[in-house]
């Protein structure tokens, strides 16, 4: 009768223990990187620099700077578009940094492991 549970030769428990240690180390690194990212700011401009938006690593808008020359009461839509463009670019920079940091930790594993990383 085959032995239930366990692993033949007893080799797997050691490997499993190492795997768990690596996973815990990776989890710590991810938490540290996330905390570091949350303290960073990402800025982007639009309209040749007349609009600047800054977002935090938490993906929250922290500052909007508008050059007075960008304010045209007859063309509010243009200003709105510039704000949206600068905000989206700042958020893209934040996401790019987040992905780069994650790739360093996971060694480029990406979605392996059922999306755990």
């Amino acid at each position: 009768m085959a032995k239930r549970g366990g692993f033949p030769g007893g080799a797997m428990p050691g490997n499993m223990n190492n795997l768990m240690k690596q996973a815990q180390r990776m989890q710590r690194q991810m938490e540290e990187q996330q905390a570091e990212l949350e303290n960073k700011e990402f800025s982007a401009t639009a309209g040749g620099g007349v609009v600047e938006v800054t977002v935090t690593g938490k993906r929250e808008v922290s500052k909007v700077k508008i050059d007075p020359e960008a304010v045209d009461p007859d063309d509010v839509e243009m200003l709105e578009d510039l704000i949206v463009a600068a905000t989206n670019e700042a958020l893209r920079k934040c996401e790019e940094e987040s992905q780069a940091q994650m790739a360093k930790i996971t060694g480029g594993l990406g979605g392996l492991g059922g999306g755990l990383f």
Side-chain angles (χ1 to χ4, degrees):
M1 184 176 222
K3 186 175 178 183
R4 297 186 67 175
F7 299 95
M12 254 336 242
N15 289 341
M16 186 60 86
N17 194 26
N18 287 338
L19 185 60
M20 290 301 293
K21 285 181 182 178
Q22 287 177 321
Q24 289 170 345
R25 182 173 39 251
M26 189 179 292
Q27 178 68 30
R28 273 193 316 277
Q29 289 174 329
M30 288 169 52
E31 289 169 358
E32 290 168 2
Q33 290 293 330
Q34 184 64 34
E36 183 179 312
L37 181 67
E38 288 177 358
N39 290 320
K40 287 187 176 184
E41 289 189 331
F42 303 87
S43 295
T45 62
V50 296
V51 172
E52 180 180 13
V53 174
T54 303
V55 298
T56 67
K58 292 180 181 181
R59 293 163 180 79
E60 296 173 344
V61 175
S62 63
K63 183 176 16 175
V64 176
K65 188 174 179 183
I66 300 172
D67 188 313
E69 75 179 52
V71 181
D72 179 357
D74 296 326
D75 194 5
V76 174
E77 189 174 300
M78 172 67 92
L79 179 57
E80 292 170 344
D81 290 344
L82 292 173
I83 292 169
V84 169
T87 302
N88 287 335
E89 179 63 15
L91 289 169
R92 186 198 61 73
K93 287 179 178 183
C94 178
E95 183 62 28
E96 192 174 88
E97 175 75 14
S98 177
Q99 293 296 326
Q101 287 183 1
M102 190 62 64
K104 281 190 236 176
I105 294 169
T106 63
L109 292 176
L112 290 181
L116 295 175
F117 305 107

